Amino acid sequence: MNDLIKSLSPLEREVLPKVEDSITLKQLVKKTKKQEVEVMRALQWLQNKKVIEISLELKELVTLGELGKKYTKVKLPERRLLDQLKDKGKLTIKNIDLPKSELNIAIGELKKKAAIQMGKEITLSPNGRKLLTKDFIEEIFLSKLPKDLKEIENENKLAYNNLKKRKNIIETNLEKIRTIKLTLLGKKLIKQKLDLDLIEALTPAHIKKGTWKDKEFRRYDVKINVPNIYGGKRHFVKQATDYAKKIWLEMGFEEMTGPMLDSSFWVFDSLFTAQDHPVRDLQDTFYIANPRDAKLPKEFVSKVKKAHEKGTPGSTGWQYKWDENDAKRNVLRTHTTNLSARTIAQLDIKDLPKKYFALGRCYRNEALDWSHIFEFNQTEGIVIDENANFRHLLGYLKQFFTKMGFPKARFRPAHFPYTEPSVEIDVFHPVHKKWVELGGAGMFRPEVVIPILGKDVPVLAWGPGFDRIILEFYKINDIRELYKNDLKQLREIKNWIK
Amino acid sequence: MPTVKLNKKVFEKLVGKKLPIEKLKDRISMMGTDLDSIEGDEISVEIFPNRPDMLSEQGFARAFSSFIGVKTGLKEYKVNKTNDKLIVKNLPKEWPYAIGCVVRGLKLDDEKVREIIQIQEKLGTTLTRNRAKGGIGLYPVNKVKFPITFSGKNPKEIKFRPLEFPKEITALQMLSQHPKGREYGHLMENWKTFPVFTDANGTFMSMPPVINSHDVGKIDETTTDVFIEATGPDLKIIKQAINIIATALSDMGGKIYSLKVEIPKEKLKFDCPDLKPKSWNMDIDYINKRLGLNLKEKEVKTLLEKMGYGYAKGKVLVPAYRADIMHQVDFAEDIAIAYGYENFDAEIPNVATIGKENPFEIFKRKVAEILAGNQLLECDTYNLTNEDLQTKKMNTKMHTIKLANAFSQEYSTLRAWIIPSLLQILSENKQYDYPQNIFTIGRIFKKGKTESGVEENDRVAVLVCDATANFTKIKQSFDYLMRMLNIKYETKEAEHPSFIPGRTARITVKGKDVAYIGEIHPQVLENFSLEFPVAAFELNLSELF
């Protein structure tokens, strides 16, 4: 009991003595002269301590509406008309002193009560004269509000129905009525001396002056749930991409960055993608309206053109007429491989071997649904090394996916216009127990490498999509959620811990 | 990617071996074709665009049988020489070539007729790019008489009954009335003459690349001998088409007969088809080096034979139906497939390179970390947006870069600034607890002096939003960021239609404008249906770095 008393907060200490059995919350608020939320908080704490019980009852309460409140002051329109008839004896409609909005209602209501007689002029009926000194049932009803809907009976019911048909005079609201009961413990507690002199908050003054020494501390309910707070945090996609970057950095790769809006030359032509390849169709790639065309890098144009038309040494090429104008068209990059092409073009063979990676947004002309998205992340990598071979390609990929949490990777033959051999990467999903397709890799064809590097050096290259991996990690099914920015989700989503 | 549908029983007969279902699935995937599904007796396989020769049941079975080691090696196709002529002359410049051959002795049934039409259609959509690069036609030989002529004619002179049509109509009527005419007629736009096949009797046989004659250009189960033609602007492609169809029909049991093709304009006379394998040089060291293997010549020969090639003394014999060989790297891939991707020993070589993060990326990450440490929540937003959000809703005007082929108005423009994206986020999250203090780092696009004509900058935008959000709060946040980055800045009074006048500032660093900061204008808040004040800044990180 003593601990219980010490654990009462100042608010509880104020409210508890005012609690009588079966008091309602409203009454208690009046009695304590405190805000309803404060009283409620104290009651909840007291209930947690098993001192009281709160029961909740829902009532449909009839109260005055906006017009109803006004009429309690200025009287109902029909009463005002009746009063005017009393003064003047008879009235033409024109002479009635009522706002237009109330005129018809007033006449109608009095007609219903057979209180007036209509002719060229309106006069009082005998019944009307009686009513001059008697309240309408509606007036009686309004004076009794608020009232529980269930308790309305007889005459009141009639008045209620009449008034309900008229707008804004009365309204029905669902009201929560909370009744408080003291428990046995509560009944004992209330008899105790509650106003102990306890330290509530420890203040600098207590510490400085040492006044805490001869006082006791109010006991807290340490098991209580506290309100949520939300920390600042990185977006979960960024957390994941930062982690992937870290893997490439650990493996000795340099980061590539560059334009998202680039010429078809760097996105397609330099990668030996023929100009009639379906990937360049309008329904696959976003083209830019203005500026429509890019400037082409002169030193590479004729070499790339030759690779397409006639091939590089040992190659037949595609054997078609390559059009510089198609290469100029600006597009949103469909892969980060434009960065790989640009990087290789800047390399000096003397500096090999080199390893690069990129992680960035790419675009494809695709309507948005749960599994398709027009902006997506790709993780790109290239290794330019005289001694690089196909086994190394598989080695780098295996290592990367192991670090990403997929130790089982499978490589299948695939086709891309700019790689030979080409690989499709599947990883085994440890939970769903199925293979998940993650994207492509391969070794750049000589027709790609020779025009931009000057020599047929093996180049390992890969560009799997990254969003699938993010979805798997965060157990998200709908790809649209990546950029939905639902703040609740962003606040609550777990951190990328790897 | 095109899909071929195979009947499992027919397929097994063609392959010459029955595999358990799991093994079958695995082998199809590891051959470099994408298994779509196996349901009951139907196998559905996706074929990569470099292998049109696998678009027929026969072609796919031929490759598969060889791959699993049943019938390996180069398959020779005999061509019987004839003196029947195909004359190619006076054509519109857009459609100058035609070639053809004859296959006799076929025993067709409903199923096989459907199969032949499937090959023709699949090649049409893939190899010849929806007929833009070629048209393919088949005719019962007994209904036509050689020599056959392919020539351009005035559309008014062309009249025949097109396939599945009730009556004879003119060329122009075909383009407007026949479903194929409406589908492919656009290919013939502005052509001076229309190309047609006519036989020795002057009978119209077809009008490529649109439609055949119903009377002489339709094969059915009674047909035993067929004339096959391919026409178009690219001789190489149509030769591939003929080779692929002729070999598939031969695998169905037909015998191939050549035609003498004459193209006087180019002084060309040749027998078609030429199904002799092409001989390619291959350097085994190059292949071994690329694949990281140490294969002996004998092993290479076996592996090539599994992929349907022949090999003798450093030369690879490439079958005539293969359309994709450009360089010996193409052999490297096929050798790797035959060797089995699953059998490669994945290895990370001991190559010393130093990892290096891009310094600007490091800088951006630091900015994000500082802001997150200051209790701001990072959002990630699309770079594609719309003009309305960028300008009208923001009470302002600016130039934006637009897409030529957006799939929806909502995502039709590249953004020129970022605050609108964040305001939209606030407008979509009004049901959640406040304060809502958010930021994003993203890219903006504007005209500039770069290769593409567009300059891309990375910027950070910060928004604070609750009942007490104001200039002081956002300035504190901005000032904290700049102090942590150790960057000195100056604040100048400024006007911006998206912000409240008198509560807007421009930030300069070393004399360069780098940021706007201020309280968002209530008209803008109203446009976004926001009920709490918002203060914001947008800082150009590319300028700072």
Side-chain angles (χ1 to χ4, degrees):
Chain A
M1 183 61 80
N2 209 15
D3 276 357
L4 179 62
I5 295 171
K6 277 192 220 159
S7 72
L8 295 177
S9 71
L11 198 57
E12 287 168 289
R13 246 178 270 276
E14 268 185 80
V15 170
L16 186 59
K18 305 268 162 58
V19 176
E20 317 157 26
D21 233 2
S22 301
I23 194 168
T24 64
L25 176 61
K26 269 212 169 135
Q27 292 166 324
L28 194 58
V29 169
K30 256 187 202 166
K31 221 170 148 189
T32 54
K33 293 178 185 131
K34 295 207 148 303
Q35 297 281 329
E36 186 175 316
V37 280
E38 288 180 298
V39 178
M40 195 58 216
R41 207 180 303 149
L43 289 176
Q44 260 157 4
W45 293 335
L46 287 169
Q47 180 168 258
N48 290 347
K49 295 188 177 91
K50 301 197 165 59
V51 172
I52 58 160
E53 278 166 8
I54 308 171
S55 60
L56 177 68
E57 197 188 345
L58 290 175
K59 267 190 187 164
E60 277 187 285
L61 215 57
V62 183
T63 56
L64 288 171
E66 209 176 304
L67 273 178
K69 282 179 199 159
K70 184 177 148 197
Y71 292 155
T72 54
K73 283 179 206 147
V74 303
K75 296 185 190 166
L76 288 167
E78 56 265 37
R79 173 62 66 188
R80 275 178 273 152
L81 177 54
L82 206 65
D83 288 348
Q84 285 177 35
L85 283 167
K86 179 187 156 197
D87 294 347
K88 306 263 166 74
K90 48 190 168 183
L91 284 168
T92 59
I93 288 190
K94 263 194 204 164
N95 292 331
I96 296 174
D97 178 23
L98 277 179
K100 219 177 171 185
S101 61
E102 295 178 347
L103 183 63
N104 285 339
I105 293 176
I107 294 172
E109 289 299 319
L110 290 180
K111 268 193 339 200
K112 261 195 249 167
K113 292 184 196 303
I116 50 172
Q117 285 157 338
M118 302 290 293
K120 280 184 183 166
E121 292 174 323
I122 301 170
T123 55
L124 279 172
S125 73
N127 198 32
R129 263 180 228 109
K130 269 189 219 160
L131 282 171
L132 283 176
T133 54
K134 199 178 150 198
D135 282 339
F136 298 147
I137 53 168
E138 287 85 0
E139 288 171 317
I140 299 167
F141 180 74
L142 289 176
S143 70
K144 287 183 183 162
L145 293 182
K147 215 169 164 59
D148 186 347
L149 186 60
K150 273 191 235 153
E151 288 166 12
I152 300 173
E153 283 168 338
N154 305 332
E155 274 212 323
N156 281 330
K157 190 86 185 174
L158 188 66
Y160 165 73
N161 285 333
N162 284 345
L163 290 168
K164 208 170 74 173
K165 283 178 205 150
R166 295 163 68 174
K167 272 180 194 156
N168 297 334
I169 299 184
I170 53 170
E171 48 190 41
T172 315
N173 292 312
L174 208 58
E175 186 149 325
K176 291 175 179 171
I177 299 184
R178 290 189 168 82
T179 316
I180 300 119
K181 263 195 174 146
L182 285 164
T183 61
L184 276 179
L185 179 63
K187 281 175 185 159
K188 278 185 206 160
L189 182 62
I190 206 161
K191 290 178 191 142
Q192 308 285 325
K193 183 180 177 315
L194 296 180
D195 53 344
L196 300 179
D197 185 17
L198 300 174
I199 295 180
E200 187 55 31
L202 181 64
T203 63
H206 287 128
I207 301 165
K208 222 171 170 180
K209 295 177 190 156
T211 46
W212 58 272
K213 284 175 184 161
D214 37 271
K215 280 188 184 175
E216 281 190 83
F217 287 88
R218 206 259 294 173
R219 295 179 72 83
Y220 286 165
D221 177 2
V222 293
K223 285 187 249 170
I224 202 163
N225 289 328
V226 296
N228 288 343
I229 55 163
Y230 307 108
K233 105 170 124 164
R234 301 291 318 271
H235 190 275
F236 62 96
V237 170
K238 300 283 188 190
Q239 293 184 36
T241 49
D242 275 354
Y243 176 74
K245 277 185 176 186
K246 206 177 112 208
I247 298 176
W248 295 124
L249 292 168
E250 282 169 359
M251 285 163 73
F253 285 69
E254 266 180 65
E255 186 169 19
M256 305 182 279
T257 57
M260 291 184 191
L261 189 161
D262 209 347
S263 62
S264 293
F265 181 84
W266 286 115
V267 177
F268 301 123
D269 294 286
S270 65
L271 294 163
F272 198 55
T273 304
Q275 293 186 324
D276 68 350
H277 194 282
V279 77
R280 300 174 73 146
D281 286 353
L282 289 171
Q283 61 263 36
D284 276 347
T285 298
F286 284 125
Y287 284 81
I288 305 300
N290 181 19
R292 187 179 180 276
D293 294 325
K295 276 181 252 147
L296 295 185
K298 281 201 187 81
E299 64 270 43
F300 299 112
V301 171
S302 58
K303 291 174 188 163
V304 167
K305 177 184 164 82
K306 198 177 155 213
H308 279 246
E309 291 184 343
K310 293 177 187 140
T312 49
S315 165
T316 63
W318 292 112
Q319 298 175 34
Y320 71 105
K321 198 162 164 20
W322 186 83
D323 188 347
E324 196 171 309
N325 293 319
D326 283 359
K328 282 182 184 163
R329 287 301 307 270
N330 275 325
V331 297
L332 291 182
R333 68 181 181 204
T334 55
H335 46 198
T336 39
T337 319
N338 67 323
L339 304 181
S340 292
R342 285 174 168 278
T343 302
I344 295 171
Q346 297 305 317
L347 272 181
D348 192 330
I349 289 173
K350 289 197 294 277
D351 298 332
L352 301 184
K354 281 279 191 185
K355 304 195 297 213
Y356 293 95
F357 80 96
L359 218 161
R361 288 277 178 91
C362 304
Y363 299 81
R364 65 186 152 222
N365 194 349
E366 198 156 66
L368 202 53
D369 68 26
W370 71 276
S371 67
H372 296 92
I373 198 163
F374 54 87
E375 285 193 44
F376 62 99
N377 289 295
Q378 196 180 10
T379 175
E380 174 97 8
I382 47 171
V383 174
I384 311 114
D385 178 6
E386 286 281 7
N387 297 312
N389 65 46
F390 189 59
R391 291 196 295 116
H392 302 158
L393 173 71
L394 305 185
Y396 285 117
L397 291 171
K398 211 160 204 163
Q399 184 62 35
F400 175 72
F401 286 109
T402 302
K403 289 203 174 203
M404 287 308 298
F406 300 101
K408 252 175 102 178
R410 175 172 81 170
F411 303 107
R412 281 184 294 123
H415 168 74
F416 307 102
Y418 42 92
T419 51
E420 200 78 12
S422 304
V423 178
E424 184 72 42
I425 307 151
D426 299 337
V427 293
F428 193 73
H429 196 288
V431 179
H432 298 154
K433 307 269 177 236
K434 60 168 193 197
W435 292 100
V436 180
E437 197 172 303
L438 285 184
M443 296 176 76
F444 277 160
R445 299 186 64 100
E447 294 94 331
V448 174
V449 181
I450 293 172
I452 53 177
L453 184 66
K455 192 184 170 195
D456 184 10
V457 176
V459 178
L460 314 178
W462 51 87
F466 193 65
D467 294 340
R468 278 292 277 277
I469 302 175
I470 301 174
L471 295 180
E472 296 295 344
F473 182 83
Y474 290 106
K475 300 192 170 52
I476 298 172
N477 291 321
D478 188 330
I479 200 162
R480 285 170 293 195
E481 281 189 30
L482 292 182
Y483 306 109
K484 191 168 166 229
N485 295 300
D486 178 282
L487 295 187
K488 184 165 185 272
Q489 183 197 32
L490 292 185
R491 282 167 171 166
E492 288 174 2
I493 200 164
K494 65 181 171 174
N495 275 281
W496 179 281
I497 299 173
K498 262 194 191 162
Chain B
M1 265 192 296
T3 307
V4 273
K5 295 202 186 310
L6 313 158
N7 179 297
K8 194 156 164 276
K9 291 207 179 79
V10 175
F11 176 69
E12 279 164 354
K13 207 175 147 207
L14 285 167
V15 169
K17 191 174 177 179
K18 221 172 147 170
L19 292 180
I21 198 97
E22 283 310 313
K23 183 88 180 159
L24 182 66
K25 281 183 184 171
D26 172 69
R27 289 297 86 194
I28 290 177
S29 293
M30 297 312 285
M31 184 172 75
T33 43
D34 225 352
L35 180 70
D36 207 29
S37 64
I38 301 185
E39 275 162 31
D41 259 355
E42 191 179 86
I43 308 174
S44 179
V45 183
E46 282 185 33
I47 304 296
F48 291 119
N50 61 328
R51 293 297 300 272
D53 58 292
M54 287 204 263
L55 285 171
S56 68
E57 205 161 44
Q58 289 68 30
F60 183 75
R62 177 175 60 205
F64 190 75
S65 175
S66 185
F67 179 63
I68 62 169
V70 181
K71 297 174 206 158
T72 65
L74 185 72
K75 189 162 180 183
E76 306 260 10
Y77 290 92
K78 192 177 173 226
V79 178
N80 303 287
K81 240 183 175 177
T82 76
N83 286 318
D84 288 333
K85 273 188 190 169
L86 172 61
I87 299 148
V88 181
K89 61 178 189 190
N90 302 334
L91 283 148
K93 63 177 190 307
E94 296 86 353
W95 214 255
Y97 297 114
I99 54 169
C101 71
V102 170
V103 177
R104 292 182 191 272
L106 289 165
K107 291 193 187 78
L108 299 183
D109 53 24
D110 264 4
E111 181 92 0
K112 281 186 176 145
V113 170
R114 255 202 306 279
E115 166 65 16
I116 293 170
I117 291 166
Q118 174 178 285
I119 306 173
Q120 189 186 349
E121 279 174 0
K122 295 268 148 80
L123 287 175
T125 50
T126 56
L127 181 68
T128 62
R129 301 267 190 273
N130 286 324
R131 305 195 188 179
K133 299 223 143 179
I136 301 160
L138 289 96
Y139 314 74
V141 172
N142 60 1
K143 295 201 175 161
V144 294
K145 194 173 170 211
F146 286 98
I148 288 169
T149 307
F150 185 57
S151 60
K153 291 242 179 338
N154 183 333
K156 284 176 195 152
E157 294 169 19
I158 303 168
K159 204 175 179 193
F160 62 87
R161 181 184 169 199
L163 274 181
E164 316 300 340
F165 205 75
K167 57 174 197 275
E168 226 181 64
I169 48 175
T170 66
L172 291 174
Q173 284 171 322
M174 285 176 214
L175 296 192
S176 64
Q177 292 175 19
H178 196 278
K180 295 285 173 198
R182 286 197 290 267
E183 193 178 346
Y184 296 108
H186 66 95
L187 294 170
M188 301 172 78
E189 226 168 282
N190 301 325
W191 290 9
K192 291 221 168 65
T193 57
F194 285 3
V196 285
F197 276 102
T198 46
D199 77 350
N201 296 327
T203 310
F204 285 113
M205 296 164 59
S206 67
M207 180 172 76
V210 176
I211 191 73
N212 273 20
S213 153
H214 189 82
D215 301 321
V216 302
K218 187 177 183 238
I219 57 160
D220 58 31
E221 66 276 10
T222 64
T223 309
T224 55
D225 306 339
V226 290
F227 162 56
I228 315 162
E229 49 81 359
T231 61
D234 188 325
L235 195 54
K236 183 181 143 220
I237 287 178
I238 59 177
K239 277 184 177 172
Q240 286 165 358
I242 287 289
N243 289 356
I244 289 167
I245 298 189
T247 53
L249 292 188
S250 165
D251 285 344
M252 265 187 204
K255 288 200 169 91
I256 303 167
Y257 292 82
S258 69
L259 294 177
K260 292 203 175 302
V261 179
E262 292 181 10
I263 310 176
K265 196 181 169 198
E266 303 201 11
K267 299 195 175 85
L268 283 174
K269 273 189 192 181
F270 55 88
D271 291 311
C272 177
D274 175 8
L275 295 182
K276 283 195 298 294
K278 296 236 159 23
S279 175
W280 277 77
N281 288 326
M282 190 186 76
D283 175 0
I284 292 181
D285 290 343
Y286 181 87
I287 303 291
N288 272 328
K289 186 166 175 288
R290 197 165 179 93
L291 297 181
L293 296 177
N294 199 6
L295 300 169
K296 307 267 177 313
E297 188 175 13
K298 216 178 130 193
E299 293 169 288
V300 170
K301 181 171 185 287
T302 312
L303 294 173
L304 282 168
E305 282 169 356
K306 270 179 86 174
M307 301 306 284
Y309 297 102
Y311 177 84
K313 294 173 197 157
K315 303 245 183 228
V316 181
L317 297 171
V318 180
Y321 53 78
R322 282 295 292 263
D324 58 315
I325 305 300
M326 266 190 270
H327 185 278
Q328 57 172 331
V329 285
D330 295 300
F331 302 135
E333 178 172 81
D334 275 349
I335 288 169
I337 293 172
Y339 184 81
Y341 277 23
E342 69 277 22
N343 298 322
F344 278 86
D345 195 5
E347 176 201 32
I348 294 195
N350 196 1
V351 178
T353 54
I354 309 295
K356 191 179 164 205
E357 192 174 4
N358 177 288
F360 183 50
E361 295 297 313
I362 298 175
F363 178 69
K364 284 194 291 180
R365 186 155 47 76
K366 290 293 163 198
V367 168
E369 281 167 8
I370 292 166
L371 293 172
N374 191 20
Q375 304 302 307
L376 290 153
L377 189 62
E378 186 177 27
C379 297
D380 204 357
T381 47
Y382 296 122
N383 293 317
L384 278 173
T385 177
N386 60 75
E387 170 102 2
D388 191 52
L389 189 68
Q390 286 278 299
T391 58
K392 209 170 134 208
K393 277 184 119 171
M394 295 305 296
N395 232 359
T396 185
K397 285 188 179 125
M398 60 176 68
H399 181 268
T400 56
I401 309 282
K402 291 177 195 64
L403 296 180
N405 57 331
F407 65 85
S408 85
Q409 187 55 36
E410 199 181 347
Y411 304 106
S412 55
T413 299
L414 286 160
R415 64 181 166 192
W417 64 321
I418 294 178
I419 287 176
S421 309
L422 289 186
L423 280 171
Q424 194 181 22
I425 292 174
L426 292 182
S427 76
E428 288 165 357
N429 282 279
K430 289 193 293 181
Q431 69 271 38
Y432 299 131
D433 294 352
Y434 285 85
Q436 295 184 352
N437 299 337
I438 57 175
F439 77 101
T440 194
I441 295 176
R443 193 155 285 197
I444 65 102
F445 300 77
K446 59 182 184 192
K447 285 203 170 172
K449 289 191 172 106
T450 62
E451 254 181 61
S452 66
V454 174
E455 190 182 322
E456 299 178 25
N457 282 163
D458 287 335
R459 292 187 182 175
V460 61
V462 175
L463 262 61
V464 293
C465 175
D466 73 338
T468 64
N470 60 20
F471 188 84
T472 304
K473 286 198 176 173
I474 197 68
K475 185 81 187 284
Q476 283 176 313
S477 184
F478 181 79
D479 184 65
Y480 175 71
L481 173 65
M482 297 303 257
R483 274 188 286 127
M484 292 305 103
L485 293 171
N486 198 22
I487 296 172
K488 300 247 179 321
Y489 67 92
E490 277 176 56
T491 314
K492 291 191 219 160
E493 276 187 13
E495 293 294 320
H496 188 299
S498 306
F499 294 90
I500 297 176
R503 300 181 181 187
T504 315
R506 235 175 205 279
I507 306 289
T508 59
V509 170
K510 292 178 189 158
K512 267 193 221 162
D513 290 333
V514 294
Y516 264 111
I517 183 167
E519 290 181 18
I520 299 292
H521 199 285
Q523 181 57 55
V524 174
L525 298 179
E526 195 182 301
N527 295 346
F528 281 89
S529 309
L530 289 170
E531 283 136 25
F532 286 115
V534 177
F537 73 78
E538 178 161 333
L539 170 65
N540 189 336
L541 297 174
S542 301
E543 284 285 5
L544 281 189
F545 185 70

